[in-house]
Amino acid sequence: MSVHAFHNTWYSCIYILTKDEITPTIILSVLWIIFWKNSKTEGKTFLVIASLFGFIHELLGVQYGYFTYLGGAIGNVPIWILPGYGTIFWSSYNLWNIFEKQYSGFKWFHFTNHFIILSFVLLILADYSYFDLTKDPLNTSIKFILAFMLFTNFNLLRLAYFTGFFTVLNEIAGETLGTWSHPDFSLLSLMAGYVFLLWICRSIAEVKEAKKEESHENNSLVSYISAFKGLVNGQKEWTKREATAVFLLILYYTLALLGLIRA
């Protein structure tokens, strides 16, 4: 085979793999860049960390058979997942964060607490009736409780709930539209994972903001890695409940990847 023919074949393979991924990748990448340009430390941290953690999570999930995408250019994972995770997660976080700042002073705002109760009941019923909560309810419940133990006051718990809730709505669309399949698709399990991701993003942003004030660090990838290290070298203040929840969640996900427990 000539070099020219090889290149044509290679480009054809790339086109076949990415033809259904290029458009959403471009759209989500543009949104990611717009959000980046209009965000400060916290927003940029969400965009970077959620994208990296999300894409690695998808690669591992496909590798270990937790779910399967209908196509995917990199490790059977669509390339739009990389900008998509950060964009969707930051949008979900911002949707509630801005809403609460704008309307928390209104008398009717307390009704959002009733919405949490109602929507949570509906999530459980939907998970039980249409998805996979029944396969491992105890394990899922423990993971869900541990994820919310990471937040120490009601306002943060409410923020965590709505961020997880809005993000899970996007996941439901992916499952029901058939863009991917998951043998154990549990809404509560997904929400627990997103709440844990929220804690990671907020914690890294907190450390990064403190380091930025001290040494005027920029927003390079190296600075995020440095901030991540700051979680374990004393630059973050930990509560006992928070530390316990983090340890148990990391242990849980490690055992799940090893195939010793259900994910």
Side-chain angles (χ1 to χ4, degrees):
M1 181 184 291
S2 67
V3 174
H4 181 70
F6 173 78
H7 284 166
N8 286 339
T9 303
W10 187 79
Y11 287 133
S12 297
C13 290
I14 293 297
Y15 174 75
I16 291 170
L17 287 171
T18 60
K19 64 186 179 70
D20 295 326
E21 301 177 28
I22 292 174
T23 300
T25 300
I26 293 173
I27 293 172
L28 289 167
S29 296
V30 169
L31 288 173
W32 195 98
I33 293 170
I34 291 173
F35 290 163
W36 174 272
K37 292 291 186 181
N38 291 278
S39 296
K40 296 183 179 179
T41 300
E42 185 180 59
K44 291 179 177 180
T45 301
F46 268 73
L47 290 167
V48 171
I49 299 302
S51 290
L52 291 177
F53 269 67
F55 195 74
I56 293 171
H57 165 267
E58 301 297 300
L59 286 173
L60 292 174
V62 170
Q63 178 68 30
Y64 285 91
Y66 291 125
F67 43 81
T68 303
Y69 280 98
L70 303 182
I74 303 175
N76 294 321
V77 175
I79 55 178
W80 58 263
I81 292 292
L82 187 56
Y85 240 98
T87 301
I88 293 170
F89 199 63
W90 178 230
S91 298
S92 297
Y93 175 82
N94 244 0
L95 183 62
W96 177 257
N97 204 25
I98 293 174
F99 179 84
E100 182 166 3
K101 287 179 181 178
Q102 186 73 27
Y103 298 108
S104 60
F106 287 71
K107 292 182 178 180
W108 53 263
F109 185 78
H110 71 278
F111 285 111
T112 58
N113 299 329
H114 301 299
F115 177 83
I116 290 176
I117 297 172
L118 177 61
S119 61
F120 184 56
V121 170
L122 291 176
L123 276 177
I124 293 175
L125 291 175
D127 209 349
Y128 183 85
S129 302
Y130 301 105
F131 299 106
D132 297 323
L133 180 60
T134 56
K135 289 191 176 181
D136 198 359
L138 179 60
N139 197 22
T140 298
S141 299
I142 292 173
K143 181 169 62 171
F144 190 85
I145 292 169
L146 286 173
F148 279 90
M149 281 176 59
L150 296 168
F151 298 90
T152 54
N153 63 61
F154 184 75
N155 286 341
L156 287 177
L157 286 170
R158 184 167 52 197
L159 176 63
Y161 178 85
F162 277 107
T163 301
F165 178 80
F166 292 136
T167 312
V168 163
L169 292 182
N170 287 284
E171 291 283 353
I172 294 174
E175 172 77 2
T176 55
L177 292 175
T179 58
W180 55 275
S181 62
H182 196 306
D184 301 309
F185 184 78
S186 168
L187 302 181
L188 296 189
S189 180
L190 281 171
M191 183 179 287
Y194 285 126
V195 171
F196 188 28
L197 179 59
L198 173 65
W199 177 87
I200 292 172
C201 290
R202 282 179 54 86
S203 297
I204 291 176
E206 177 186 327
V207 172
K208 185 164 173 37
E209 187 64 41
K211 291 170 69 67
K212 184 178 179 180
E213 291 178 0
E214 294 173 1
S215 57
H216 305 288
E217 283 191 345
N218 58 21
N219 283 305
S220 68
L221 182 59
V222 174
S223 72
Y224 289 103
I225 296 173
S226 175
F228 186 76
K229 290 169 58 180
L231 296 181
V232 295
N233 66 8
Q235 292 178 317
K236 172 180 167 54
E237 295 183 4
W238 292 78
T239 65
K240 290 182 179 180
R241 186 179 76 175
E242 188 179 24
T244 301
V246 168
F247 172 77
L248 292 175
L249 283 169
I250 291 175
L251 178 63
Y252 168 86
Y253 286 115
T254 301
L255 293 175
L257 282 175
L258 293 174
L260 300 177
I261 60 175
R262 186 188 295 270

